Amino acid sequence: MQQTRTFTDKLFLVLKGLAMGAANKVPGVSGGVVAFVAGFYEEFIHSLQRVNYRSFLLLITGRFRSFYHYINGKFLGLLILGMVISYFSISKILDYLIVHYELYVWSTFFGMIIGSIYFIAKDFNLKSTKNLLFILLGMIAGVGISLLEPATENDNLWFVFICGIIGVSGMTLPGLSGSFILILIGNYVLLLVDSVNALFDTITDLMKLDFSFANDPERVRLLQVLTSFTAGSVVGLVTLSHILGFVLNHYKNITYAIIIGFITGSLGVVWPWKEKIFKTGYSGEFLKDANGNLVLDNYDRYLPSLSDSSTYVAFIFIILGILFVVGLERYGKTSKEKQA
């Protein structure tokens, strides 16, 4: 499975990881869509499948080179490197853009998903009644998830571990946004904002040789939460990859049909024209997270006004999103032809 890759291939793998990491951070967008459209989804899933009992034996017996080769380490390592870089860089830029240019960010992702639906479906047998049925089921599931009411925050470590398993789904299931699922569970701010900020602050303190954070109960709690979430994400990533690898090998058409349906259903989540609804307390006051930010509850969606110039700018960003997917798809096709 390990392939010889040029410097350009390696660079693009890191960039793909950047794109996946950024997509996973945005509620409603799935990093799995990036993997699917860019043409490395199956290699990603099958590589994760190699993290199994045999690879564990190779690791504990010190056969590191065999372990690295067996799990397709070059591919996974570069991809994960891109995701890690994204988490502390691109995702921060995205946070800024969403605050100041929210309509255009959502428009771009909306266009990317439209492009994804077209390019995944264009070579798929849409005349098959069975395929259409599973596409419909995927759409119903996607729309149903987008209409669910968010729960309240829960920092119990076992629940956080389960959140990790569920939240990582966006990396392995195209169309199912792990970030949006975390909003529904009620733990998005806790797991992807507060705990990550706590880790960043802790790393900064350690670089200054300042260990006073160990006496801060809130910081320690958030680090425990992040550790439990990370462990759940690793377990979920490996477990889901084995399940997906099996269904891709035995039920490929059904799997693709459900994925197309999921992605189509997720359009409602990333609809650009919407107003944020923030959580309120019993007395009507707005609730805030540990950083003093309002806690997102859900969205109130509406149709765009054709008399507003920003609507036409948003249309341009939708087109740019579609064109971005065109570029990804063409690169993915070229990469496959080179490897053939």
Side-chain angles (χ1 to χ4, degrees):
M1 184 181 289
Q2 196 97 346
Q3 298 166 355
T4 302
R5 299 182 190 272
T6 64
F7 175 78
T8 304
D9 291 333
K10 294 174 182 177
L11 177 62
F12 269 102
L13 261 181
V14 174
L15 292 176
K16 289 172 183 179
L18 281 169
M20 281 189 75
N24 282 323
K25 181 74 183 289
V26 179
V29 183
S30 164
V33 171
V34 176
F36 208 97
V37 176
F40 65 96
Y41 179 71
E42 289 192 34
E43 183 178 3
F44 179 56
I45 295 300
H46 291 311
S47 297
L48 289 174
Q49 269 190 293
R50 292 298 187 95
V51 182
N52 52 27
Y53 180 70
R54 180 179 173 186
S55 64
F56 177 71
L57 287 178
L58 290 172
L59 185 63
I60 62 173
T61 54
R63 298 169 63 188
F64 301 118
R65 186 184 295 273
S66 297
F67 169 79
Y68 181 76
H69 183 81
Y70 179 72
I71 66 168
N72 198 11
K74 189 180 294 183
F75 170 81
L76 284 180
L78 291 170
L79 204 60
I80 292 170
L81 173 64
M83 292 180 197
V84 171
I85 294 172
S86 171
Y87 212 75
F88 293 100
S89 57
I90 302 298
S91 62
K92 298 292 183 185
I93 297 171
L94 262 177
D95 289 341
Y96 173 85
L97 293 175
I98 287 176
V99 169
H100 295 89
Y101 305 98
E102 185 174 19
L103 174 61
Y104 306 139
V105 172
W106 285 119
S107 297
T108 304
F109 281 116
F110 189 78
M112 287 172 62
I113 290 179
I114 290 175
S116 301
I117 294 167
Y118 170 73
F119 281 109
I120 294 172
K122 68 183 176 70
D123 297 323
F124 195 72
N125 182 12
L126 295 176
K127 294 181 181 180
S128 165
T129 304
K130 184 172 73 172
N131 287 348
L132 289 174
L133 175 62
F134 280 103
I135 289 173
L136 180 61
L137 289 174
M139 286 177 62
I140 292 171
V143 172
I145 288 171
S146 70
L147 297 176
L148 291 174
E149 287 294 322
T152 56
E153 185 175 291
N154 184 339
D155 64 355
N156 181 283
L157 294 182
W158 277 109
F159 183 74
V160 168
F161 182 83
I162 294 170
C163 286
I165 294 174
I166 297 171
V168 80
S169 60
M171 286 176 61
T172 50
L173 290 170
L176 187 60
S177 166
S179 296
F180 188 72
I181 295 296
L182 291 179
I183 286 179
L184 294 177
I185 293 172
N187 274 4
Y188 177 80
V189 173
L190 173 67
L191 300 175
L192 295 187
V193 180
D194 292 344
S195 60
V196 172
N197 288 338
L199 175 63
F200 184 80
D201 292 340
T202 302
I203 292 172
T204 303
D205 289 342
L206 288 172
M207 290 176 68
K208 297 177 183 176
L209 299 178
D210 179 3
F211 302 97
S212 60
F213 66 86
N215 299 318
D216 182 351
E218 180 62 17
R219 178 82 69 85
V220 172
R221 180 186 74 91
L222 288 173
L223 290 175
Q224 289 173 339
V225 163
L226 185 60
T227 302
S228 182
F229 178 67
T230 303
S233 298
V234 172
V235 170
L237 199 59
V238 174
T239 305
L240 281 172
S241 67
H242 280 79
I243 295 170
L244 282 169
F246 175 82
V247 297
L248 278 172
N249 287 332
H250 296 86
Y251 309 100
K252 189 168 184 175
N253 281 345
I254 292 174
T255 306
Y256 274 41
I258 292 173
I259 286 172
I260 292 169
F262 259 138
I263 296 174
T264 305
S266 72
L267 281 173
V269 180
V270 293
W271 179 252
W273 293 274
K274 55 194 172 188
E275 293 287 341
K276 288 181 178 178
I277 301 173
F278 296 102
K279 285 190 176 182
T280 56
Y282 292 110
S283 58
E285 81 284 2
F286 287 109
L287 299 179
K288 295 183 179 181
D289 60 31
N291 297 308
N293 300 314
L294 296 176
V295 179
L296 180 64
D297 190 2
N298 215 321
Y299 295 98
D300 182 19
R301 297 167 182 84
Y302 59 90
L303 293 174
S305 170
L306 296 180
S307 62
D308 191 339
S309 60
S310 65
T311 299
Y312 297 96
V313 177
F315 288 156
I316 292 172
F317 277 96
I318 290 174
I319 294 170
L320 288 174
I322 294 172
L323 292 176
F324 176 75
V325 172
V326 170
L328 269 181
E329 193 266 348
R330 287 185 177 174
Y331 173 76
K333 185 179 289 185
T334 304
S335 297
K336 282 185 176 179
E337 288 173 355
K338 285 180 180 180
Q339 294 168 11

